[in-house]
Amino acid sequence: MSDETRPSRTAAVIPAAGRGVRLGPGAPKALRALNGTPMLIHAVRAMAASRSVSLVVVVAPPDEASAAEVKTLLADHALPERTDFVVVPGGETRQESVKLGLDALPPGIDVVLVHDAARPLVPVDTVDGVIEAVREGAPAVVPALPLADTVKQVDARTDGGPELVVATHERARLRAVQTPQGFDRATLVRAHETVTDNVTDDASMVEQLGEPVVVVPGHEEAFKVTRPLDLVLAEAVLARRRANDGF
């Protein structure tokens, strides 16, 4: 089979090494329970729900004990049999962890998703939309939503005092970016080999290469769970899904 006719394979990398201090004391953020199931398991299932995803790489905290704990966690929960799962120890930063996840990918993977473990409820239609856009030729794709609030740029302060507004941005041109972000594998690997700045997402690294990043519609249920209120909202979404879909 030639490269032109060989179907592209997709893998998802989920960095799950963060502590999640804004959620308060307790287990690492990815292991906090939603409806009795760790957020990480919800996030893994969300990626595996796409029939295009053949492999999920979970990047655990750096120590071997944590990696073993995550492996046990995956083994203890029902996951789709058609999808393979790998756990690798991560690095000290998110960027390092994603790079280690990329290093664990086997040959034959052409499309890579990078997904936050703290976005456990992203719908499969959003995942598939990102994958499709990459397969259609975009080197990098991000799901995003229009902003509902006016956004102001301020002169930031660290002492807790009032901050001076320096600009008000045109809301119609702004988007709130979510995950999974999707990439042509070679482009993402080159970004991690080239960009050394500490960035907040992988799409920013591709931007620094001068490559285009395409936006596709996100979903309001793909929000990031970072605060105690987000846990309440996530439980409410799961309750609605159970009532409507038997989820």
Side-chain angles (χ1 to χ4, degrees), residues 6 24 31 33 70 87 167 231:
R6 177 174 54 86
L31 302 185
V70 171
V87 178
L231 287 170

Side-chain angles (χ1 to χ4, degrees), residues 24-76:
K29 177 166 54 178
L31 302 185
R32 299 293 181 94
L34 291 176
N35 190 32
T37 301
M39 277 202 293
L40 174 61
I41 297 299
H42 286 288
V44 169
R45 286 174 174 167
M47 296 300 98
S50 171
R51 301 194 69 85
S52 298
V53 175
S54 59
L55 171 67
V56 176
V57 177
V58 178
V59 187
D63 58 287
E64 291 291 342
S66 294
E69 180 183 0
V70 171
K71 288 179 182 178
T72 300
L73 193 68
L74 292 176
D76 289 345

Side-chain angles (χ1 to χ4, degrees), residues 13-245:
V13 175
I14 303 180
R19 296 297 305 178
V21 293
R22 282 177 288 180
L23 279 175
K29 177 166 54 178
L31 302 185
R32 299 293 181 94
L34 291 176
N35 190 32
T37 301
M39 277 202 293
L40 174 61
I41 297 299
H42 286 288
V44 169
R45 286 174 174 167
M47 296 300 98
S50 171
R51 301 194 69 85
S52 298
V53 175
S54 59
L55 171 67
V56 176
V57 177
V58 178
V59 187
D63 58 287
E64 291 291 342
S66 294
E69 180 183 0
V70 171
K71 288 179 182 178
T72 300
L73 193 68
L74 292 176
D76 289 345
H77 290 80
L79 299 170
E81 292 184 359
R82 67 174 182 271
T83 308
D84 293 327
F85 302 92
V86 174
V87 178
V88 297
E92 295 301 323
T93 67
R94 183 186 184 281
Q95 192 168 333
E96 291 174 4
S97 292
V98 173
K99 176 61 165 59
L100 290 167
L102 284 174
D103 291 343
L105 296 179
I109 297 294
D110 304 295
V111 178
V112 180
L113 304 178
V114 181
H115 184 57
D116 295 330
R119 297 184 190 270
L121 304 179
V122 56
V124 67
D125 288 349
T126 302
V127 180
D128 286 339
V130 171
I131 295 170
E132 181 180 0
V134 177
R135 288 181 172 176
E136 289 178 349
V141 179
V142 296
L145 293 175
L147 297 182
D149 299 318
T150 297
V151 177
K152 294 187 181 292
Q153 181 179 341
V154 300
D155 186 6
R157 295 178 58 168
T158 58
D159 59 3
E163 297 176 328
L164 179 67
V165 171
V166 297
T168 300
H169 295 282
E170 185 181 349
R171 187 173 62 187
R173 295 172 59 86
L174 301 176
R175 297 292 183 269
V177 173
Q178 302 174 326
T179 69
Q181 298 183 356
F183 304 89
D184 166 73
R185 179 182 182 173
T187 300
L188 185 57
V189 168
R190 182 160 59 93
H192 276 270
E193 292 174 345
T194 305
V195 178
T196 57
D197 297 342
N198 190 17
V199 296
T200 57
D201 72 348
D202 296 271
S204 298
M205 301 175 70
V206 173
E207 288 176 51
Q208 291 190 42
L209 295 180
E211 296 286 351
V213 177
V214 174
V215 173
V216 298
H219 197 283
E220 44 187 36
E221 291 183 2
F223 61 90
K224 192 172 186 178
V225 178
T226 58
R227 303 161 300 172
L229 178 59
D230 298 326
L231 287 170
V232 176
L233 294 174
E235 291 281 7
V237 171
L238 286 173
R240 181 194 57 76
R241 287 182 180 181
R242 288 195 302 272
N244 293 346
D245 309 320

